[in-house]
Amino acid sequence: MALRKLIGELCLTFCIIVVISAAPGLLSSDTLDFHRFYEMVQRILYTFVHWQDATFILNTNEYKIFPDVFDHYTYMLILLGSALACSLLLAMILVIVTLLLPQFLKNAVNAVVSMLSAIPDVFFIFALQLIIIWIYRSTGILFIDPLATTFEPVYLFPIIALCIYPTLFLFQLTLQSFEDELTKPYVEFAKGKGLSYFSIFLHHIFRNTLLSLFQSFKQLFWFMLGNLLLIEYMFNIQGFMYFFRTYYSPELFAICLLFLFLTFFFFFYIAEGLLASYHRKRGLVMKGGFYD
Amino acid sequence: MIRRLIRNPRFILGFIVLACLLISSFALTNMTVPKANELQYGSNHEVTAVAPFPPSAQHWFGTNDQGEDELFLVIQGVKYTIGYALAVAICRLLISTALGILYGLYAKKSRRLFQAFIRPFRFIPAVLLALIFLTLLPGIWLSLLVTIFIAVPVLTEIIGEDVRHQLQQEHIIPSKLMGASRFHLLRKHLWPFLAPRLTLHFLQQIAQVLLLMLHLGILEITLFQTYDLTYYISNFYTKLMTTTWEIYTPVLVFFLLLCSFQLLVKGVESVLSAPPLEKRPLKVTTPPAAQPVPLSFKFMK
């Protein structure tokens, strides 16, 4: 029963993806053009059925999308995954260090972080770009070729640029939930039993706040995808988003959206299933899940 | 709530910065742009410099390639940007509040359906959607429509879930049992709870629209054909390498704008999350002691 519902919802989401990617056809002329819309839907569905033959056009030549697109796709996944892992790690270290600080320093750190998080991410990317140019001018090492015309995976700077905002966001969230958790009686009990600070952290507080952290990941993922588009544009990396932007066609856009959706779905579905089973084992009821 | 907002330092700071920007922008509307000659000559009438000029004593933020003062132009453009963001945020909020209340009141079995419907908007970045739609279909009205409707599904769900959650509170049930109509519930129970949240959503939406405009500006899409901030940012990439000051100025002003809205949001958030002020103790008025009524009879011994 649950499976059937899940499949039904997936089908609905799939339909909406098709509609969204065909929608420019509907609005292209002054009046609503249903005929063109219908044609586009047909073309998109045709592409999905014959996905091996999907092509994109470059200088009047047609090239096949598959399997080249998988290179771009894995590159995007590596960027997103490592940026997320980096920011989680950084945020955790920062939070633990911050909690060990005296109160007035804690307040200072809080104020600085909330000020930094008000700065839009684009300005960080902008600053990074200026840094890259400065490094090039002073040492002659070029990390990212701003005039590159082919796809070359670059890792360091895009990951740095991607993980700035998530780090700040996760830091604030974690600090808040850790401080809430620290006031609970079981922490006092654990301290009274003589457990060390770090073991309480790792074994109890971290696990208990993991769920609330995880639920913010969806928003972060959405945010990072948008950021990735900008980073690819500003650093001139021919990545996944850039690929679909430059060789735009409705079919390609639909494929792009489907890829994003599948990534999103599998990552969150599997992770949430694991978390839910873990919590059930410990006798906790999980609420507000994505697919519960 | 307003009285407490005025006492909040963050809110006040954001408000002052925003007011300064807006007032100066409106004040400069009809003034002519201070202009330097496009060519500067040396003592022997040879050309020593060509506009755009870097920052100097006369033009603190440099000039553009017609010799016009960059800061002046940018400040003039601020009002269009804010106006656009305001208009979009108001439309977004109106539409999604109406839909959200409907969703909260009536959606029971269709909830999952609706959630499945908006799921794509939770993972497709707004910039990507706006980019695809606006590169294909330029035009002011269409860009307005697209920027409005990109955020409506998610915002509707947020408001709708709020409404639904509030309608399941314990104090609502007796009210329902006593025969309160839906309109009564909305007016008496929901609105006092929803109104402050909507203010918060409103400010957040403005900040989001501004961010979206900035992103689209960097991707070289101007939403409307006036000389607003995004117009100055949109030639970003080519200018970054050569005349960097032409980028600094609009970016700096945009930064100020976004920061002031973030401050407003933070201020409202802290006021909303703070515990309500202790109400002044009610004056207990004791009724005047009853006058002894003269007896109309006498006790006899």
Side-chain angles (χ1 to χ4, degrees):
Chain A
M1 188 60 198
L3 189 69
R4 200 195 292 164
K5 259 189 180 171
L6 188 70
I7 289 171
E9 280 177 19
L10 283 185
C11 287
L12 189 67
T13 310
F14 176 74
C15 292
I16 287 160
I17 287 176
V18 173
V19 170
I20 289 176
S21 35
L26 187 67
L27 298 167
S28 58
S29 54
D30 291 337
T31 53
L32 294 181
D33 193 348
F34 282 102
H35 185 67
R36 243 196 98 170
F37 179 71
Y38 181 65
E39 258 178 24
M40 276 200 174
V41 170
Q42 266 183 332
R43 259 169 65 191
I44 289 166
L45 290 180
Y46 181 83
T47 320
F48 280 146
V49 176
H50 303 271
W51 55 272
Q52 299 99 328
D53 304 331
T55 53
F56 67 92
I57 295 171
L58 172 64
N59 300 332
T60 67
N61 293 332
E62 282 197 32
Y63 297 97
K64 288 207 167 173
I65 296 174
F66 296 99
D68 281 355
V69 72
F70 287 116
D71 287 347
H72 297 272
Y73 180 65
T74 43
Y75 175 62
M76 182 187 79
L77 282 190
I78 289 171
L79 282 191
L80 285 179
S82 46
L84 209 58
C86 278
S87 55
L88 193 61
L89 201 69
L90 264 177
M92 282 299 152
I93 292 169
L94 278 177
V95 164
I96 290 175
V97 170
T98 315
L99 283 176
L100 293 173
L101 292 176
Q103 189 61 41
F104 72 99
L105 276 180
K106 231 188 257 183
N107 291 344
V109 169
N110 245 333
V112 168
V113 169
S114 72
M115 228 168 64
L116 281 180
S117 68
I119 300 172
D121 47 296
V122 178
F123 297 151
F124 288 118
I125 305 174
F126 183 61
L128 267 180
Q129 202 161 26
L130 289 179
I131 289 172
I132 291 171
I133 293 171
W134 179 74
I135 289 175
Y136 179 61
R137 274 188 187 156
S138 50
T139 64
I141 303 168
L142 189 59
F143 282 98
I144 292 169
D145 186 3
L147 299 171
T149 49
T150 50
F151 171 61
E152 283 171 37
V154 233
Y155 293 103
L156 181 63
F157 275 94
I159 290 175
I160 294 176
L162 261 181
C163 75
I164 290 168
Y165 179 79
T167 307
L168 295 175
F169 180 81
L170 283 176
F171 174 80
Q172 282 180 320
L173 196 78
T174 325
L175 192 64
Q176 186 60 45
S177 53
F178 272 22
E179 278 182 344
D180 288 349
E181 200 74 14
L182 274 176
T183 57
K184 287 187 178 168
Y186 78 87
V187 177
E188 206 172 332
F189 179 64
K191 271 185 198 161
K193 273 176 75 176
L195 294 182
S196 77
Y197 199 56
F198 281 103
S199 75
I200 297 175
F201 251 110
L202 289 179
H203 290 282
H204 301 288
I205 296 180
F206 181 63
R207 280 187 202 172
N208 290 343
T209 51
L210 199 61
L211 185 66
S212 67
L213 264 187
F214 182 76
Q215 273 166 355
S216 68
F217 270 28
K218 264 170 266 173
Q219 207 194 339
L220 268 185
F221 183 79
W222 178 80
F223 188 84
M224 284 166 80
L225 278 180
N227 254 3
L228 192 64
L229 179 69
L230 280 168
I231 288 170
E232 281 178 1
Y233 180 78
M234 289 170 81
F235 286 156
N236 191 27
I237 303 165
Q238 323 257 322
F240 189 72
M241 303 289 204
Y242 190 86
F243 181 78
F244 286 101
R245 191 185 161 229
T246 38
Y247 310 118
Y248 172 81
S249 72
E251 302 98 296
L252 261 182
F253 189 53
I255 290 174
C256 163
L257 292 189
L258 201 68
F259 263 106
L260 291 185
F261 173 61
L262 289 181
T263 323
F264 186 76
F265 177 76
F266 278 112
F267 178 58
F268 284 105
Y269 189 66
I270 291 170
E272 245 169 41
L274 285 179
L275 259 182
S277 75
Y278 174 70
H279 279 260
R280 214 172 292 134
K281 219 184 285 168
R282 300 174 64 209
L284 292 170
V285 181
M286 192 172 112
K287 268 186 183 169
F290 195 49
Y291 292 101
D292 60 344
Chain B
M1 182 170 148
I2 291 171
R3 208 192 300 160
R4 291 175 65 187
L5 277 180
I6 291 170
R7 283 189 206 145
N8 191 302
R10 278 188 278 196
F11 187 85
I12 284 300
L13 187 64
F15 189 79
I16 288 173
V17 172
L18 197 62
C20 285
L21 276 177
L22 262 180
I23 290 171
S24 52
S25 175
F26 275 108
L28 294 182
T29 307
N30 290 323
M31 282 162 77
T32 47
V33 184
K35 205 173 163 185
N37 260 333
E38 283 166 50
L39 300 171
Q40 281 184 358
Y41 300 101
S43 51
N44 298 333
H45 298 286
E46 81 276 22
V47 177
T48 51
V50 185
F53 303 117
S56 60
Q58 286 95 30
H59 302 282
W60 290 2
F61 287 84
T63 66
N64 67 359
D65 44 6
Q66 267 116 45
E68 292 165 333
D69 191 86
E70 191 70 30
L71 183 68
F72 195 92
L73 287 175
V74 168
I75 294 278
Q76 262 190 347
V78 165
K79 56 179 179 293
Y80 302 115
T81 311
I82 294 181
Y84 188 85
L86 266 178
V88 171
I90 288 174
C91 291
R92 279 182 180 183
L93 209 66
L94 280 181
I95 295 172
S96 39
T97 309
L99 290 177
I101 286 175
L102 282 181
Y103 168 82
L105 281 179
Y106 295 103
K108 290 191 177 69
K109 282 195 175 168
S110 52
R111 229 180 103 229
R112 286 183 74 97
L113 205 69
F114 183 76
Q115 279 175 351
F117 173 76
I118 68 143
R119 190 161 302 144
F121 295 94
R122 284 200 176 277
F123 67 87
I124 305 173
V127 197
L128 184 65
L129 268 188
L131 185 70
I132 294 300
F133 275 84
L134 295 179
T135 35
L136 291 179
L137 323 155
I140 296 178
W141 294 109
L142 210 84
S143 70
L144 202 64
L145 266 185
V146 169
T147 35
I148 288 169
F149 277 97
I150 277 173
V152 161
V154 175
L155 195 58
T156 303
E157 201 211 5
I158 293 171
I159 294 175
E161 283 295 318
D162 262 359
V163 170
R164 214 177 65 86
H165 180 73
Q166 184 65 13
L167 283 181
Q168 284 170 349
Q169 296 286 312
E170 277 181 3
H171 65 272
I172 302 283
I173 299 167
S175 179
K176 265 188 195 166
L177 287 179
M178 285 193 285
S181 68
R182 286 198 163 115
F183 182 67
H184 176 86
L185 282 183
L186 271 185
R187 206 163 52 99
K188 290 286 179 190
H189 294 293
L190 213 56
W191 188 246
F193 161 81
L194 212 58
R197 291 194 160 228
L198 287 183
T199 357
L200 190 63
H201 281 311
F202 177 59
L203 290 173
Q204 278 173 342
Q205 286 303 316
I206 294 177
Q208 272 190 25
V209 177
L210 282 176
L211 207 61
L212 184 67
M213 284 169 81
L214 176 65
H215 287 178
L216 286 176
I218 286 171
L219 293 167
E220 295 182 13
I221 290 176
T222 41
L223 290 172
F224 52 120
Q225 267 68 44
T226 42
Y227 292 99
D228 74 316
L229 279 182
T230 50
Y231 172 83
Y232 295 112
I233 293 176
S234 64
N235 295 23
F236 184 92
Y237 207 75
T238 48
K239 286 177 179 172
L240 180 65
M241 307 291 169
T242 51
T243 57
T244 325
W245 64 88
E246 279 189 77
I247 283 306
Y248 281 147
T249 326
V251 162
L252 261 176
V253 174
F254 217 102
F255 170 65
L256 268 183
L257 206 62
L258 270 169
C259 275
S260 61
F261 272 109
Q262 291 287 351
L263 282 172
L264 290 186
V265 169
K266 290 260 165 70
V268 173
E269 251 174 8
S270 70
V271 165
L272 283 186
S273 64
L277 286 178
E278 296 231 340
K279 277 183 184 164
R280 260 178 276 162
L282 285 173
K283 267 187 197 165
V284 183
T285 49
T286 44
Q291 294 289 324
V293 185
L295 297 175
S296 56
F297 56 89
K298 277 180 186 173
F299 290 107
M300 302 289 285
K301 273 189 184 172

